[in-house]
Amino acid sequence: MPHIIIEHSEDLPLLPQVLVEKIHTTTFESGLFDLETIKTRAIAYQHYQLGVGKEGFIHIAVHIMAGRSIEQKQLLSEQLLACLQTYCRASDSLSVNIYEMDHEIYRKN
């Protein structure tokens, strides 16, 4: 079920589709989700401003249904950040956040 949205600067050290594939695979390898339920997409930004010494950025927002433990969410965010660190420059600003969605409110067809 997770919806993974990768926001990033245009000057990535790897192709955006490769980043999507790496994050998608890492999410599956967490053991928390079935492969057919994971949805991953990326949005590139042309205009942005970063802190001193930062060349680019990647922020991953993971939207999941409520009910996972804090430990499961921490593990997922740590694994995704480690994946980013493997493929990105030390000068990139990297971040991950897990957002919970309410079963009573979320709708899909």
Side-chain angles (χ1 to χ4, degrees):
M1 158 336 96
H3 287 275
I4 303 164
I5 303 165
I6 306 167
E7 296 179 286
H8 63 86
S9 53
E10 281 193 326
D11 65 336
L12 291 178
L14 69 163
L15 294 172
Q17 184 57 40
V18 173
L19 176 62
V20 167
E21 291 166 6
K22 299 292 185 190
I23 294 302
H24 197 88
T25 300
T26 299
T27 302
F28 172 66
E29 290 173 349
S30 73
L32 298 174
F33 311 100
D34 295 327
L35 186 58
E36 62 274 3
T37 65
I38 303 169
K39 299 155 195 80
T40 308
R41 54 198 176 268
I43 304 167
Y45 289 88
Q46 292 179 338
H47 308 286
Y48 56 90
Q49 187 169 346
L50 303 172
V52 175
K54 296 297 180 183
E55 292 183 52
F57 75 92
I58 301 174
H59 174 71
I60 299 177
V62 182
H63 300 269
I64 63 174
M65 296 307 291
R68 306 276 179 185
S69 70
I70 291 292
E71 293 79 15
Q72 288 173 315
K73 292 182 279 187
Q74 287 173 331
L75 177 67
L76 178 60
S77 64
E78 289 167 5
Q79 289 175 337
L80 291 172
L81 184 59
C83 178
L84 290 179
Q85 291 168 330
T86 299
Y87 299 102
C88 295
R89 305 166 291 219
S91 61
D92 289 328
S93 176
L94 308 175
S95 58
V96 177
N97 196 16
I98 311 294
Y99 300 90
E100 287 192 334
M101 302 184 313
D102 291 329
H103 292 276
E104 296 83 13
I105 300 170
Y106 179 72
R107 300 289 182 265
K108 69 176 186 174
N109 64 4

